[in-house]
Amino acid sequence: MRWERFFQDLENQLAAEWDAKRAALDSESERLRIAGLALRDRLRALVGTDPVAFELVDGSRHEAAIAAVGADWIAGRPPAAGVLIVPLAAVRLIGASEPELLRSARASTGPDLLAARVTLGFALRDLARRRVPATLGLRGGRTATGTLDRVGADHLDLAVHALDAPRRPAEVVGFRLVPLASLAWLRVDADASPVLT
């Protein structure tokens, strides 16, 4: 009887050691998986969920449901309608509920969709082609309204005019050359919003 207990104790100790090793390996595996997650991966997991709060480098705060994530930008739908486009480099922090943050941390880094490779410049060139009036928020805290005339590799040309006025020579009060690096956010009103896919 004593030998049976002895062997049972050995089996229990061995099982406990195996469980501890398995737990340590699982924990290390999870740490390595999370170490490979990029911010874009986490944001892609939040597409279509509850709105999140963005604090940007210009000090502004915005709330929007993430609608699309590009190569270097995020598009969101604010509660008041329209579309908010934010360069990833302009994001200071993102606030979300704990369940959403945990869910985004469990995101699989599945295939990178074509939309995820679209750059900010490409998205802005589409807005310029559509002649969509927009409000630009700049890193220094200033804003400008108007129509994007052209978008280059690292800058855009803005025809400055009131949002409710069409881009006609009589309505344009000036032109601005805006480096994309100084852009903190861009908002397109509801009636002029491009379709996000």
Side-chain angles (χ1 to χ4, degrees):
M1 184 89 161
R2 292 171 70 196
W3 287 110
E4 288 178 9
R5 178 182 268 170
F6 175 74
F7 290 127
Q8 184 63 43
D9 285 346
L10 286 177
E11 285 181 17
N12 290 343
Q13 288 177 19
L14 184 59
E17 285 182 32
W18 277 105
D19 288 344
K21 284 182 182 180
R22 190 174 314 117
L25 286 173
D26 289 347
S27 179
E28 183 61 22
S29 174
E30 179 66 3
R31 279 193 289 277
L32 288 172
R33 187 190 67 77
I34 289 175
L37 274 178
L39 177 61
R40 282 184 58 249
D41 299 327
R42 306 259 329 246
L43 293 172
R44 281 176 47 202
L46 294 174
V47 170
T49 63
D50 292 337
V52 296
F54 294 99
E55 182 179 311
L56 306 179
V57 294
D58 67 339
S60 66
R61 298 173 195 272
H62 303 269
E63 188 172 309
I66 298 174
V69 179
D72 55 355
W73 57 276
I74 312 159
R77 297 202 180 276
V83 174
L84 177 71
I85 297 175
V86 177
L88 280 176
V91 176
R92 187 178 288 159
L93 61 87
I94 300 167
S97 67
E98 184 179 24
E100 294 296 343
L101 287 178
L102 291 174
R103 192 172 71 71
S104 74
R106 288 190 292 271
S108 80
T109 56
D112 202 14
L113 305 173
L114 180 61
R117 294 189 306 239
V118 172
T119 64
L120 176 63
F122 188 89
L124 296 179
R125 277 188 283 284
D126 186 61
L127 293 178
R129 182 182 58 79
R130 295 171 191 248
R131 311 302 285 168
V132 176
T135 302
L136 282 67
L138 305 177
R139 287 180 179 253
R142 292 184 57 193
T143 60
T145 62
T147 301
L148 283 63
D149 278 348
R150 287 164 291 285
V151 180
D154 60 355
H155 66 283
L156 62 86
D157 293 1
L158 181 71
V160 180
H161 60 84
L163 280 179
D164 58 353
R167 196 232 176 269
R168 294 198 177 106
E171 301 294 336
V172 174
V173 297
F175 296 90
R176 302 291 183 266
L177 191 62
V178 181
L180 294 183
S182 70
L183 186 65
W185 54 269
L186 180 142
R187 188 179 61 241
V188 177
D189 289 331
D191 56 348
S193 294
V195 177
L196 295 176
T197 55

